[in-house]
């Protein structure tokens, strides 16, 4: 697939992350030459604010770039090489309900975990499949790089509904955690590390961390984790606002307690929602959740900056910056296009990668990526503690997808009842009935 230049569609053109990703594509032009960028969204009004501002930026900084934006699928997906997908069906208004409805019943209210993640998953499946179908219809040789949440449920839905499609599901959280581990060890970032990892998305463990010379960094990292969780890995020069809001500081610190459960491995931060749900609920404000934090923070900031660019007619001084954190997307696209054979953590069918776990599970494991796709690196057997947790969580995710496909109230009730974040089937049913009412415009009808 190696070409002199590439055409890219960003699905979710109205996202607050879109300007940073578009600017990052420009910044990485030398190693991943993109000559055509299309924004696609089904919300024309929201996308127009972001797209018009980016259009002004591109005219000033990259006039040679062929840029357009559209709500028409044929325009958006014809003649492209990659789709970068970060969609949020229902936007932040629905995220707020995902978080607040479970909290009303004393349960974890979180974007991708527990009842909130299940609700979000039920909205996301149709949207991701729709974009994948558009891509395959209009550009059958293209790759879709999907980092839309909740990635675990979306990936399982793709396995069931589109098993042969050219889609790769990837998440930035392990990359962010590896960046923090690199800082702990005096290194630059995740590219300086070699690693072993297994789990589901937002539900996994690092088992080995080496530097490029093969030195074992686990003892050093464990020392930091036992004292302060991931807090020692926060660089003071870091500008990743989505990961240093107050709620994230709590999460990085709480990893110390999650680590203590199994000090042989380094946990993903999201495991706190399943291992300490009581703590999470106690420290949550049911009237002001993470969704409110984002709407009052990043969303206002990004859309304010975009409106200012449009009003003044220039992007100078607007504070537009490339999202350095998103360079992993270009790394992955380069690996596919240029056959680099680089290692990535991807969400892929297990098929023996974790040998004592469900073969059909969509596991998050290291893979070698080249122009023909990926090859998994086997992680062997997982210990009993992790196996028990994984069996429970993968069953939740599979039941959610089955509920969506079959329109089954029963299976969605089972999924919620099985979640480690919900104490009983009674509470699960109460939450489910509220979520059905809230999501009547987005979920399939359940019977």
């Amino acid at each position: 697939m190696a070409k002199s230049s590439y055409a890219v569609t960003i699905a979710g053109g109205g996202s607050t992350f879109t300007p940073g990703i578009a600017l990052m594509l420009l910044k990485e032009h030398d190693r991943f030459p993109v000559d055509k960028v299309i924004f696609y969204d089904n919300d024309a009004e929201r996308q127009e604010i972001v797209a018009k501002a980016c259009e002004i930026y591109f005219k000033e900084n990259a006039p040679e770039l062929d840029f357009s934006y559209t709500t028409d699928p044929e325009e958006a997906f014809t003649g492209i090489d990659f789709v970068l997908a970060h969609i949020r069906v229902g936007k932040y208004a629905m995220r707020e309900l995902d978080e607040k409805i479970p909290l009303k019943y004393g349960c974890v209210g979180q974007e991708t975990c527990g009842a909130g993640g299940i609700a979000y998953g039920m909205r996301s499946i149709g949207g991701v499949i729709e974009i994948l179908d558009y891509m395959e219809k209009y550009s059958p040789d293209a790759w879709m790089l999907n980092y839309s949440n909740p990635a675990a449920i979306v990936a399982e839905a793709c396995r069931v509904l589109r098993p042969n499609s050219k889609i790769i599901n990837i998440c930035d959280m392990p990359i962010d955690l590896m960046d923090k581990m690199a800082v702990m060890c005096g290194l630059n970032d995740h590219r300086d590390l070699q690693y072993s990892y297994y789990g589901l998305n937002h539900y996994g463990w690092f088992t080995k961390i080496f530097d490029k010379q093969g030195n074992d960094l686990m003892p050093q990292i464990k020392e930091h984790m036992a004292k302060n969780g991931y807090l020692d890995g926060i660089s003071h020069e870091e500008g990743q606002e989505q990961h240093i809001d107050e709620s994230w500081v709590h999460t990085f610190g709480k990893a110390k307690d999650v680590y203590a459960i199994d000090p042989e491995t380094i946990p993903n931060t999201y495991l706190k929602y399943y291992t300490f749900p009581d703590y999470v609920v106690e420290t949550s404000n049911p009237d002001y959740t993470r969704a409110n934090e984002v709407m009052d923070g990043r969303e206002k900031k990004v859309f304010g900056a975009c409106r200012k660019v449009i009003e003044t007619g220039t992007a100078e001084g607007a504070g537009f910056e490339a999202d350095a954190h998103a360079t992993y997307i270009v790394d992955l696209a380069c690996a596919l296009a240029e056959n680099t054979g680089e290692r990535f953590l991807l969400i892929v069918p297990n098929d023996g990668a974790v040998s004592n776990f469900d073969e059909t599970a969509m596991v998050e494991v290291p893979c070698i990526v080249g122009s023909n796709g990926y090859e998994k690196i086997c992680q062997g057997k997982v210990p009993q503690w992790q196996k028990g947790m994984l069996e429970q969580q993968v069953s939740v995710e599979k039941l959610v997808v089955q509920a969506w496909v079959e329109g089954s109230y029963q299976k969605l009730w089972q999924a919620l009842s099985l979640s480690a974040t919900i104490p009983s089937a009674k509470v699960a049913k109460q939450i489910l009935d509220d979520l059905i009412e809230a999501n009547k415009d987005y979920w399939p009808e359940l019977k």
Side-chain angles (χ1 to χ4, degrees):
M1 188 186 177
K3 299 165 75 172
S4 58
S5 62
Y6 300 95
V8 172
T9 293
I10 298 178
S15 165
T16 56
F17 291 107
T18 295
I21 288 167
L23 269 60
M24 180 270 300
L25 290 175
L26 290 188
K27 193 176 178 184
E28 300 290 332
H29 187 270
D30 288 351
R31 66 188 181 110
F32 184 61
V34 173
D35 64 359
K36 182 177 183 179
V37 173
I38 305 169
F39 290 0
Y40 171 77
D41 206 301
N42 59 7
D43 184 334
E45 193 179 335
R46 184 180 171 96
Q47 175 173 258
E48 190 157 354
I49 298 166
V50 174
K52 277 193 167 176
C54 288
E55 187 172 46
I56 291 165
Y57 181 93
F58 294 145
K59 276 180 182 168
E60 291 178 341
N61 296 277
E64 71 287 350
L65 180 73
D66 179 359
F67 172 70
S68 61
Y69 58 97
T70 182
T71 57
D72 178 67
E74 187 172 358
E75 277 180 43
F77 297 98
T78 298
I80 54 161
D81 302 300
F82 290 96
V83 174
L84 311 183
H86 54 229
I87 65 168
R88 182 180 294 280
V89 180
K91 301 189 257 308
Y92 288 117
M94 289 309 299
R95 176 177 176 175
E96 184 178 8
L97 294 175
D98 292 345
E99 294 169 353
K100 290 183 177 178
I101 288 170
L103 280 169
K104 187 171 100 176
Y105 295 98
C107 295
V108 169
Q110 207 279 331
E111 177 193 19
T112 65
C113 302
I118 289 169
Y120 188 12
M122 287 287 288
R123 291 196 305 277
S124 297
I125 292 169
V128 171
I129 295 293
E130 180 180 74
I131 288 167
L132 184 55
D133 287 350
Y134 288 147
M135 180 190 81
E136 296 198 318
K137 179 179 180 180
Y138 297 114
S139 292
D141 294 327
W143 279 97
M144 178 165 160
L145 311 185
N146 179 57
Y147 41 103
S148 306
N149 274 323
I153 290 169
V154 167
E156 170 66 9
C158 291
R159 182 193 72 82
V160 170
L161 298 167
R162 300 292 185 273
N164 301 312
S165 293
K166 291 176 74 174
I167 179 170
I168 290 183
N169 292 285
I170 187 169
C171 175
D172 66 340
M173 198 66 230
I175 297 165
D176 181 80
L177 297 179
M178 283 190 280
D179 283 342
K180 286 174 173 50
M181 288 187 268
V183 169
M184 290 176 195
C185 299
L187 301 171
N188 289 325
D189 60 27
H190 65 276
R191 292 184 182 87
D192 295 326
L193 305 178
Q194 291 286 4
Y195 55 89
S196 292
Y197 182 98
Y198 60 75
L200 307 167
N201 179 242
H202 286 185
Y203 204 97
W205 296 261
F206 292 94
T207 56
K208 295 174 187 172
I209 303 281
F210 298 99
D211 64 17
K212 287 295 177 68
Q213 287 71 47
N215 299 306
D216 184 3
L217 302 179
M218 284 292 269
Q220 199 176 340
I221 294 166
K222 286 177 177 179
E223 206 174 306
H224 285 284
M225 292 298 295
K227 287 179 184 171
N228 294 310
Y230 284 104
L231 291 174
D232 290 352
I234 296 178
S235 166
H236 296 299
E237 296 162 18
E238 202 169 289
Q240 301 159 14
E241 64 177 328
Q242 72 266 35
H243 290 318
I244 52 173
D245 285 349
E246 188 185 350
S247 57
W248 274 107
V249 173
H250 279 294
T251 295
F252 291 134
K254 190 62 180 174
K256 168 186 172 180
D257 295 334
V258 181
Y259 165 74
I261 304 168
D262 177 25
E264 294 306 306
T265 58
I266 309 294
N268 190 302
T269 46
Y270 283 90
L271 287 163
K272 83 165 187 179
Y273 297 105
Y274 303 95
T275 51
F276 294 96
D278 49 352
Y279 161 85
V280 171
V281 173
E282 285 163 15
T283 54
S284 295
N285 180 348
D287 300 317
Y288 194 86
T289 62
R290 174 67 183 154
N292 299 115
E293 204 176 53
V294 172
M295 286 188 279
D296 290 343
R298 186 175 66 241
E299 189 170 46
K300 279 185 179 172
K301 182 182 173 187
V302 171
F303 276 87
C306 287
R307 287 188 178 100
K308 185 182 173 189
V309 169
I310 295 165
E311 283 166 18
T312 60
T314 178
E316 278 185 42
F320 272 15
E321 289 178 0
D323 184 354
H325 189 60
T327 53
Y328 73 94
I329 299 161
V330 165
D331 295 340
L332 181 57
C334 282
L336 289 163
E338 312 289 343
N339 201 31
T340 65
E342 199 175 330
R343 183 189 290 218
F344 295 88
L345 262 183
L346 303 179
I347 306 159
V348 295
N350 183 19
D351 293 333
V354 178
S355 58
N356 59 338
F357 185 47
D358 187 336
E359 288 210 347
T360 67
M362 291 299 285
V363 294
E364 196 164 35
V365 293
C367 299
I368 304 296
V369 178
S371 54
N372 295 309
Y374 59 82
E375 293 180 89
K376 289 167 283 207
I377 300 172
C378 290
Q379 301 299 296
K381 289 185 176 180
V382 299
Q384 195 67 50
W385 156 248
Q386 280 86 355
K387 186 175 187 294
M389 288 192 70
L390 288 167
E391 293 284 5
Q392 181 180 22
Q393 182 61 15
V394 79
S395 296
V396 172
E397 292 163 7
K398 285 181 174 295
L399 284 164
V400 172
V401 173
Q402 289 168 23
W404 190 91
V405 171
E406 299 167 22
S408 170
Y409 179 99
Q410 200 78 38
K411 287 197 171 172
L412 202 55
W413 182 18
Q414 290 171 357
L416 286 156
S417 299
L418 194 56
S419 174
T421 67
I422 297 172
S424 73
K426 177 189 172 185
V427 177
K429 193 174 193 301
Q430 291 171 325
I431 292 172
L432 173 56
D433 290 342
D434 278 14
L435 288 174
I436 287 172
E437 178 60 27
N439 285 276
K440 58 180 183 284
D441 294 335
Y442 300 100
W443 287 7
E445 188 182 351
L446 302 180
K447 294 174 182 174

